[in-house]
Amino acid sequence: MCGIVGYVGRRTAAPMLVDRLDDLSYRGYDSAGIAVANDGVVVVQKLPGKIENLRAALAGNEPPGTIGIGHTRWATHGPPTQVNAHPHADCTGRLFVVQNGIIENFPGLKRELLERGHEFRSQTDTEVVVHLLEEYYDGDLMAAVKKTAARLQGSFALAFLAADEGRLVAVRYHAPLIVGVGGGENVLASDITAVLQDTNKVYVLENGDVVSVEANRIDVDTFLPERAKKPGERQLTIVDWRAEDVSKNEYPHYMLKEIYEQPRAVERTLQGRIKDGDLVLREMDLTPEQIRRLDSFHVVACGTAYHAALFGKYLLERVLRVPVTADIASEFRYRNPILSAKSLVILISQSGETADTIASMEEAHARGAKTLAVVNVRGSTLAREADAVLYTRAGPEIAVASTKAFTAQLTALILLACYLADQRKVDWPYGRDELLKHLLELPANLERTLEVTAPTAKTWGRLIAAGPDCYFLGRNVDEPLAREAALKLKEISYVHAEAYPAGELKHGTIALISEGTPVVSFMTQESVWDKMISNIHEVRARGARTFAVVREGGYGLEDLVEDVITLPAVPELFTPVLAAVPAQLIAYEAATALERDVDQPRNLAKSVTVE
Ligand code: M6R
């Protein structure tokens, strides 16, 4: 939620900041703004709407100066107006701040500051920060920021600019912040993707860090009293993502590019992890003894990652024959979960920064459970703070709608299930050689799936775009896929969609099926094939237009569905990796038919760093 950037160096800051904001625009796009300092004069330009508005306003009119901060907003407090756009200034107009996160105690602070005569212009929580800074500022930005941060409650990453200082100061507290290290220039950003054009060397800041950034110098301190004795060095991380990975290349949308990157993403998930018939998961920091002692498994995530978690539940139960729970993180953290030192909580997240998922990890730690993060972004909070990590290695995902991160998560979960089975001395399903062969063939089968799906998905997508509703059905591991298809369709096309375990529809929701309602059934599981056929009959009898996604060898669908997408024959437990493709492409085609903003759908942000 919201992206923040800062630049200090030798280049003109304004275009640098706008370009880096563009790279972060998936974090929010309600308004954008920059503040640039030059010889004690600070120019602020901020506008509602997307970054193009800001870019257009600055064209031919860029303020000089080689130091500045910038912001792209996902509105929480106050509507997306110019006055609520960041950066915010203090009463003197000499101090400026941009924020990602929420200041939970802002009402009390605002009352206090109003009593002390401060004048507020916006409705944001952020503005209290800069007026508080004004209270403490006496020419030393670092010292004032430390005092300011110590008064704030919530989760926040803040970057500050003072008209009279040639440095930026920033704070991290439960919201991501990194410093990209260049030669004679340094960049602050919410996310690694924003610095890839400049450098592959980054410092990932930790909670409580206060960092002073100059063109040739970076100093780290802390505002947390309990850590006051050990500020200083942070380890330099070398990032293996490239600038090309975050460009659209010839694709009209990031989402489409990322859908087509899935064979490569899954290949990377598998790379180096299968050796001589064994699974090698080096990052897994749990000993065989710890793994054997586990007696309960819990998979926790949000959104698309939660659908991967549901798949994880089916998979782990099937492979390990132990009870597994799957929870939405915002529920798990507040439902007093039953955990012990013998529990493993598996947290799935593309960004590794989702607030509720991080809070679930903290809840698990507080109850003595072990945690394992299945994460895409290296150095993210979940990756650093979980007991063990399994990187999905999908590469940077820019489109708000998650695609390749999902298929990489499913693949990582298959690896994990088999790895845990080995440690617990449980046989793999399908036999070892067979399963490894199919795992290694997944990228090629994804290629094939893309080929067979694309034309059909276009036809279905256009039909579904006519709305107003669409239903997705599935049983067993197809049920999470149905949910994922419905989420994808809703979030990028705004067509109302619902997903149901196919047998459940008749317990109420079937009342909504009427003449012409599209119903797409995912039916890749032999054991429930006949049941799915019956469920399709039920909706068809009520006038539904029916479509099916099946695995090679599906039979008996003639006269029952209008059209079929046939996936390559892989073991049943693997089909969700392939079935994700039609789920994504149908949504993409519906959204483009409706001329929606596919990569940046309304009301959303990619990384949900607030509750
Ligand atoms: O970064 P995470 O995987 O933790 O994000 C979880 C959800 O916010 C995310 O999957 C969201 O639902 C996407 N918009 C789905 O396409």
Side-chain angles (χ1 to χ4, degrees):
M1 316 249 103
C2 301
I4 66 174
V5 293
Y7 174 78
V8 50
R10 43 197 156 65
R11 294 187 262 176
T12 309
M16 287 284 297
L17 292 168
V18 175
D19 284 349
R20 269 105 211 110
L21 286 178
D22 238 346
D23 294 334
L24 290 181
S25 58
Y26 59 84
R27 299 182 68 88
Y29 29 85
D30 290 336
S31 65
I34 59 168
V36 173
N38 188 38
D39 278 342
V41 176
V42 175
V43 174
V44 176
Q45 179 65 271
K46 53 186 190 174
L47 286 168
K50 292 199 172 179
I51 290 157
E52 290 90 84
N53 296 356
L54 178 66
R55 197 186 285 283
L58 287 167
N61 191 22
E62 279 161 356
T66 57
I67 179 168
I69 53 178
H71 188 265
T72 180
R73 181 168 187 240
W74 187 83
T76 56
H77 297 67
T81 57
Q82 176 159 28
V83 82
N84 287 332
H86 301 211
H88 293 286
D90 73 334
C91 299
T92 67
R94 311 291 293 161
L95 301 171
F96 301 84
V97 69
V98 288
Q99 185 202 203
N100 166 31
I102 288 187
I103 308 300
E104 285 169 0
N105 60 335
F106 90 96
L109 290 172
K110 188 166 179 177
R111 267 194 306 278
E112 175 190 323
L113 290 160
L114 283 168
E115 275 165 23
R116 293 182 62 80
H118 289 266
E119 281 180 27
F120 282 78
R121 301 169 197 95
S122 77
Q123 295 144 290
T124 63
D125 55 335
T126 310
E127 199 183 342
V128 297
V129 178
V130 75
H131 290 285
L132 198 56
L133 182 77
E134 184 184 349
E135 287 285 316
Y136 295 122
Y137 187 67
D138 60 4
D140 181 347
L141 188 58
M142 186 82 165
V145 167
K146 280 167 68 179
K147 288 182 190 151
T148 303
R151 301 271 327 265
L152 305 177
Q153 289 163 14
S155 53
F156 47 84
L158 300 157
F160 297 90
L161 175 71
D164 303 310
E165 296 195 33
R167 62 173 169 174
L168 303 173
V169 174
V171 186
R172 175 192 175 138
Y173 191 65
H174 295 293
L177 192 63
I178 58 133
V179 187
V181 183
E185 59 180 2
N186 292 308
V187 188
L188 274 165
S190 297
D191 200 341
I192 288 167
T193 46
V195 305
L196 288 177
Q197 299 188 37
D198 310 307
T199 179
N200 67 344
K201 298 188 198 78
V202 302
Y203 287 114
V204 179
L205 298 180
E206 293 181 6
N207 283 333
D209 280 353
V210 183
V211 62
S212 162
V213 184
E214 297 170 56
N216 287 302
R217 187 178 168 141
I218 297 167
D219 294 298
V220 184
D221 202 337
T222 178
F223 75 88
L224 296 178
E226 69 271 18
R227 289 192 22 214
K229 288 205 177 67
K230 45 173 186 156
E233 298 293 297
R234 290 282 163 268
Q235 214 183 335
L236 200 62
T237 303
I238 307 296
V239 181
D240 58 4
W241 291 355
R242 302 156 308 163
E244 306 90 271
D245 295 338
V246 293
S247 87
K248 251 190 277 182
N249 298 333
E250 75 278 14
Y251 288 92
H253 299 103
Y254 279 110
M255 182 182 176
L256 192 64
K257 175 181 176 243
E258 288 159 7
I259 289 173
Y260 276 88
E261 279 175 348
Q262 290 180 108
R264 180 75 193 106
V266 164
E267 193 174 284
R268 274 197 306 257
T269 311
L270 296 169
Q271 215 160 44
R273 287 172 165 165
I274 300 175
K275 283 223 174 90
D276 305 326
D278 279 326
L279 294 183
V280 187
L281 302 188
R282 285 188 210 293
E283 320 97 301
M284 284 276 300
D285 235 355
L286 297 175
T287 63
E289 183 47 33
Q290 282 172 329
I291 292 173
R292 275 195 287 275
R293 283 183 60 230
L294 297 170
D295 66 4
S296 78
F297 292 78
H298 310 266
V299 200
V300 180
C302 298
T304 287
Y306 171 64
H307 301 150
L310 287 172
F311 168 72
K313 173 184 158 63
Y314 278 103
L315 176 76
L316 291 169
E317 286 191 345
R318 164 81 201 277
V319 176
L320 302 179
R321 298 310 298 153
V322 290
V324 181
T325 65
D327 276 270
I328 289 174
S330 54
E331 291 298 314
F332 182 81
R333 61 183 291 196
Y334 293 120
R335 78 163 171 81
N336 198 2
I338 303 167
L339 301 173
S340 74
K342 291 185 181 171
S343 306
L344 179 67
V345 178
I346 301 167
L347 304 132
I348 307 178
S349 173
Q350 188 284 130
S351 62
E353 299 294 350
T354 300
D356 285 314
T357 313
I358 292 171
S360 297
M361 173 185 65
E362 287 162 358
E363 189 63 34
H365 285 160
R367 289 165 190 254
K370 289 266 166 255
T371 57
L372 163 67
V374 178
V375 168
N376 195 35
V377 178
R378 227 159 249 283
S380 57
T381 303
L382 278 175
R384 286 183 298 121
E385 294 180 10
D387 295 318
V389 63
L390 180 56
Y391 283 111
T392 48
R393 304 181 185 157
E397 192 180 68
I398 306 297
V400 165
S402 188
T403 54
K404 64 177 179 172
F406 178 63
T407 38
Q409 285 160 358
L410 301 181
T411 309
L413 286 168
I414 297 172
L415 287 174
L416 177 66
C418 294
Y419 180 82
L420 294 176
D422 273 352
Q423 307 301 315
R424 292 166 73 92
K425 310 218 179 305
V426 174
D427 286 340
W428 292 6
Y430 311 112
R432 209 173 179 90
D433 291 348
E434 187 69 4
L435 193 134
L436 288 177
K437 172 175 146 311
H438 281 292
L439 259 180
L440 291 167
E441 284 173 5
L442 265 179
N445 278 320
L446 267 167
E447 288 288 4
R448 232 166 283 142
T449 306
L450 283 160
E451 275 162 35
V452 297
T453 303
T456 319
K458 188 166 239 153
T459 316
W460 297 11
R462 289 195 177 154
L463 185 145
I464 288 167
D469 307 303
C470 182
Y471 291 81
F472 294 93
L473 305 181
R475 284 171 179 257
N476 199 283
V477 291
D478 286 332
E479 191 258 333
L481 250 291
R483 291 186 191 231
E484 177 58 5
L487 174 60
K488 286 283 95 79
L489 184 65
K490 283 183 280 197
E491 72 178 326
I492 62 166
S493 76
Y494 322 146
V495 172
H496 170 246
E498 291 196 38
Y500 268 86
E504 180 65 13
L505 198 70
K506 58 176 137 336
H507 294 281
T509 310
I510 201 165
L512 296 174
I513 305 287
S514 60
E515 202 57 42
T517 307
V519 177
V520 179
S521 298
F522 287 86
M523 41 195 306
T524 66
Q525 306 295 301
E526 181 66 33
S527 58
V528 288
W529 179 265
D530 293 340
K531 309 290 165 204
M532 284 299 302
I533 296 272
S534 305
N535 298 139
I536 298 176
H537 274 293
E538 290 158 10
V539 292
R540 201 169 161 84
R542 282 146 186 96
R545 295 188 68 172
T546 48
F547 305 88
V549 177
V550 307
R551 209 161 50 105
E552 242 169 56
Y555 54 88
L557 287 169
E558 307 75 28
D559 305 328
L560 191 58
V561 295
E562 267 179 51
D563 204 357
V564 175
I565 291 174
T566 304
L567 306 173
V570 294
E572 286 191 347
L573 271 181
F574 291 14
T575 51
V577 182
L578 308 184
V581 171
Q584 298 157 352
L585 280 176
I586 292 167
Y588 176 80
E589 295 297 349
T592 48
L594 291 163
E595 297 183 2
R596 303 298 193 216
D597 189 341
V598 170
D599 286 334
Q600 298 184 340
R602 70 185 180 201
N603 303 342
L604 294 180
K606 184 151 187 73
S607 191
V608 183
T609 53
V610 295
E611 270 196 57

